[in-house]
Amino acid sequence: MVNKKISKGRPRQFDPEEALGRAMLVFWEKGYRGTSLDDLTGAMGINRPSLYAAFGDKEELFIRAVDQYRVRYLGPPIRKLVEASSLDAGLDEFFEDMSEVVAGAGHPPGCMIACLLSEECCESETIRAKLYSSIQAADEIFARVFEGHREELSKSVSPDQAARLLTTFMQGLSIRARAGADPGELAGTARGFAAAILAGS
């Protein structure tokens, strides 16, 4: 009887999460349309067949890169805001952290959602849907935060209204960062916004 070895296939020679993180930075810097497949494969250290096998096409890779951006860069500041004992302190820390993120400390400036998804949403229904769901998710998280600290919120706005204002404000702050505003300027602008929606301001 002849024993036949069962081939298990060649193992991947790259870390998918690390490769995705590199792709995220390329998209963040160059935009979706400005990023070529050669840019991506060069940064990720893989060839095109490996990219397609692991991540699908360019659009699928972009959507996954945006998801990683949300987890890695937006997740920690939002978590601090959700867990803050007071709205005033939570917003202050949130804005300070987000000002550092969108100012581009060690990475491209701006927010991938505000700057890149909004830029491409008219070209792709998938990207437009991703932009809409991202905005909705932010609105819902912020509304829960404001509802939990309603006594600190100005009576002129409801938690839902304040949430939508905050989401919209953060998109504008990101554009300012993309244009070159530094973290100090961004944080100062954010403090003015916080003062406008907090009670007693």
Side-chain angles (χ1 to χ4, degrees), residues 87-123:
L87 183 57
D88 189 6
L91 284 174
D92 190 59
E93 190 167 21
F94 171 74
F95 284 136
E96 184 176 345
D97 288 353
M98 283 303 304
S99 293
E100 291 288 340
V101 169
V102 299
H107 53 260
C111 168
M112 286 191 73
I113 294 171
C115 296
L116 303 188
L117 286 181
S118 61
E119 179 183 351
E120 302 298 333
C121 68
C122 293
E123 303 296 325

Side-chain angles (χ1 to χ4, degrees), residues 174-195:
S174 175
I175 293 172
R176 284 183 176 273
R178 196 80 161 175
D182 61 45
E185 177 185 341
L186 297 172
T189 303
R191 281 192 292 272
F193 172 82

Side-chain angles (χ1 to χ4, degrees), residues 150-190:
R150 186 186 280 266
E151 72 284 355
E152 293 184 67
L153 196 62
S154 169
K155 288 183 173 54
S156 65
V157 292
S158 69
D160 285 342
Q161 288 171 329
R164 291 192 292 271
L165 285 170
L166 177 53
T167 302
T168 304
F169 173 78
M170 290 308 303
Q171 293 168 347
L173 200 72
S174 175
I175 293 172
R176 284 183 176 273
R178 196 80 161 175
D182 61 45
E185 177 185 341
L186 297 172
T189 303

Side-chain angles (χ1 to χ4, degrees), residues 115-147:
C115 296
L116 303 188
L117 286 181
S118 61
E119 179 183 351
E120 302 298 333
C121 68
C122 293
E123 303 296 325
S124 162
E125 178 60 27
T126 299
I127 294 176
R128 188 205 65 80
K130 187 66 175 179
L131 174 62
Y132 182 80
S133 66
S134 297
I135 291 173
Q136 290 291 102
D139 285 346
E140 290 170 8
I141 292 172
F142 294 146
R144 289 197 297 270
V145 169
F146 289 129
E147 183 64 45

